[in-house]
Amino acid sequence: SVGWKEAALRETELPPITPAELDRALPFEARNHLELENMESPVLAGQVLGAASATAVLEAEPAAAGSRVLMAAVPRARRDWVVAVLAQAGLEPEVVDLEPLAALNALFAELPLHAAVDEAVGLLDVGGRHAALHIASRRGGLLTRTVGPDAPADPGSPQENGYRLKLSAGIEQTITFYRGRYRQEIAAIHAAGGGALAAGRLEALAASTGKRFDLFLPLAGLGARGEIDGRPVGPEYLMACGLCRWWDGAHV
């Protein structure tokens, strides 16, 4: 996967369009919807997600309903770096994905089909370099933001309290923005990444934000128990598990 901080990613609505038509139109539509002015040699990708509104499909002719489209771009150098690393190992990638999309793949593959329809779900990736919150809904609405700095190596250190306060504020601001933009509430927040395993961290975030936080174990749905000797494992392998979903028919 490619880190998302240098990427441009946006879900938008277009007139009814097929995947083949989007492939042809992408070089032009991407410049209308993505910030590419300062991106050197962008690599583009797009995906038709479905009808823009289920209500529109029911109440109007199918041809009148627009299409929800996901567009993404990354600097060619970032994509090529990943490919070059694999080439040195004698490997060729089947797909190069963005970190937020790979992470959401892992989550949505485990959610029941009725989840994330009337309400959106959040995925908090607590990493060593930064914490990011990805919010998505099956009805449409994708948002990804950095919500916190790098996590303290020792959750028992004096820096932990300040870190939790910054992380909580970032989460609340992002949820408020999402609610205003997409008119959807957040049902729950699933937490992954190595930092999600820190003792007491998720409980503190739940108390300060008023949201339910669940530890997400992406390995559990891939045939693994998700723990060793009673200790949860798997949240730190979120990206790898999401990338694996490209081949099991559960890619979202």
Side-chain angles (χ1 to χ4, degrees):
S1 61
V2 175
W4 66 277
K5 294 189 103 177
E6 296 179 82
L9 177 65
R10 186 178 180 185
E11 179 183 329
T12 188
E13 182 178 340
L14 295 178
I17 193 170
T18 66
E21 291 170 339
L22 178 61
D23 286 343
R24 294 192 294 270
L26 189 59
F28 310 101
E29 293 292 348
R31 298 195 178 278
N32 293 330
H33 298 280
L34 299 178
E35 297 181 6
L36 302 178
E37 290 78 9
N38 298 320
M39 186 177 295
E40 186 175 352
S41 302
V43 178
L44 306 176
Q47 180 181 354
V48 178
L49 301 177
S53 170
T55 304
V57 173
L58 293 174
E59 297 180 352
E61 293 296 325
S67 298
R68 288 192 299 116
V69 173
L70 187 65
M71 298 183 190
V74 296
R76 185 171 297 275
R78 297 296 301 148
R79 193 282 310 269
D80 289 353
W81 185 85
V82 176
V83 176
V85 169
L86 291 173
Q88 290 186 12
L91 301 172
E92 182 177 349
E94 291 285 340
V95 63
V96 179
D97 206 354
L98 289 180
E99 285 184 1
L101 301 183
L104 287 169
N105 265 350
L107 176 62
F108 272 72
E110 296 297 324
L111 292 176
L113 290 177
H114 65 270
V117 175
D118 296 326
E119 293 181 301
V121 294
L123 176 58
L124 179 65
D125 183 7
V126 188
R129 290 177 297 173
H130 66 268
L133 179 59
H134 316 306
I135 307 177
S137 165
R138 298 190 196 276
R139 291 199 294 116
L142 172 67
L143 179 66
T144 180
R145 275 186 169 183
T146 297
V147 292
D150 53 320
D154 178 11
S157 68
Q159 290 77 26
E160 176 69 15
N161 188 55
Y163 171 74
R164 292 179 182 180
L165 290 175
K166 291 179 181 178
L167 192 53
S168 176
I171 292 170
E172 290 182 307
Q173 291 169 5
T174 302
I175 289 176
T176 299
F177 180 83
Y178 187 91
R179 184 187 297 118
R181 181 173 182 178
Y182 294 107
R183 301 294 190 269
Q184 293 188 69
E185 294 295 329
I186 312 301
I189 297 178
H190 304 264
L197 295 170
R201 187 172 286 168
L202 298 187
E203 292 80 2
L205 290 175
S208 60
T209 63
K211 291 292 181 182
R212 190 180 88 243
F213 281 75
D214 297 323
L215 181 64
F216 178 49
L217 302 172
L219 281 175
L222 293 172
R225 291 191 308 161
E227 62 179 40
I228 296 177
D229 296 330
R231 182 180 64 87
V233 295
E236 61 271 44
Y237 305 125
L238 175 65
M239 296 305 160
C241 292
L243 291 170
C244 287
R245 292 292 184 177
W246 272 89
W247 291 274
D248 69 357
H251 176 252
V252 294

